[in-house]
Amino acid sequence: MSLAATVESYRYRAFAWRSSLSLSRKLALALAGAGVIGLAAQVKFYLPWTPVPVTGQTMAVLLTAVLLGRNWGGISAALYAALGAAGLPWFAGLSGGIGCLAGPTGGYIAGFVLAAFFVGYVSDRFVRARSWYGLLGLMLFANFALIHGPGLLWLATVTGVTDIARLLWMGTIPFIPGDVIKAIAAAALAFACTPRKGTW
């Protein structure tokens, strides 16, 4: 068997094993994924004109969604949001509590859940989505439509900013280069890990 075929075989077995786990083990993996998102949230810095920090969360959310797959990628992100809202200090800056969801970044956190469910479902159900361009396109769409969409809507609500250009400068435009880099990195890692056959 060639090296490429051997690697593909191990990828397939890993994803098939992941899908056959018991409920308790899937939940444990989802909690581990939420922990990874929480760790990535601590990589952060602020820009002077926006209350939304630059963090590593989006990369962790998108990659976890592919690795955990349909339902469980989204559950992982939902656990991150729910446990953080309950007070676990793993939002950006080791913060926690319901006030974080009510703040300017609450919409982005809700978007993490939407994006993770979507990416996990599509990557599990459609083999073509696991090609390099498929994964990159999937992650860029999830990032800018499903994370930034709710993020901007909630940011406008919290800040009272109604000017679209100003809102975009606060919540999306400054983050485009970094988000593209994170999407590329997440897609590359996902492409290296995912099998090119099989659906779950």
Side-chain angles (χ1 to χ4, degrees):
M1 182 181 292
S2 69
L3 178 60
T6 300
V7 170
E8 176 63 17
S9 175
Y10 279 113
R11 286 174 181 150
Y12 180 83
R13 290 178 190 176
F15 271 66
W17 170 82
R18 172 209 70 177
S19 299
S20 66
L21 290 174
S22 65
L23 179 62
S24 60
R25 290 184 178 182
K26 286 179 178 177
L27 183 58
L29 280 179
L31 282 168
V36 170
I37 298 170
L39 285 173
Q42 308 320 311
V43 180
K44 75 174 185 79
F45 64 90
Y46 284 92
L47 300 172
W49 61 85
T50 175
V52 180
V54 177
T55 72
Q57 287 164 291
T58 52
M59 178 178 170
V61 168
L62 296 172
L63 183 58
T64 300
V66 174
L67 296 181
L68 297 186
R70 184 172 50 149
N71 298 328
W72 290 97
I75 289 170
S76 181
L79 286 170
Y80 168 73
L83 293 176
L88 190 63
W90 62 6
F91 289 151
L94 294 175
S95 60
I98 194 68
C100 294
L101 294 186
T105 61
Y108 296 93
I109 294 172
F112 292 159
V113 181
L114 293 175
F117 272 112
F118 176 76
V119 170
Y121 175 81
V122 173
S123 62
D124 261 14
R125 296 297 295 167
F126 302 101
V127 174
R128 288 185 180 180
R130 290 179 231 140
S131 68
W132 162 245
Y133 290 110
L135 285 166
L136 181 58
L138 180 64
M139 292 184 177
L140 288 172
F141 173 80
N143 183 83
F144 290 109
L146 302 180
I147 296 176
H148 279 263
L152 287 172
L153 287 173
W154 186 247
L155 184 62
T157 301
V158 170
T159 62
V161 173
T162 57
D163 180 75
I164 298 299
R166 184 182 170 200
L167 188 64
L168 287 171
W169 272 107
M170 287 177 65
T172 291
I173 292 173
F175 305 99
I176 290 174
D179 281 0
V180 169
I181 291 170
K182 285 182 282 186
I184 290 171
L189 289 169
F191 182 71
C193 296
T194 52
R196 310 293 176 255
K197 63 179 181 178
T199 56
W200 293 272

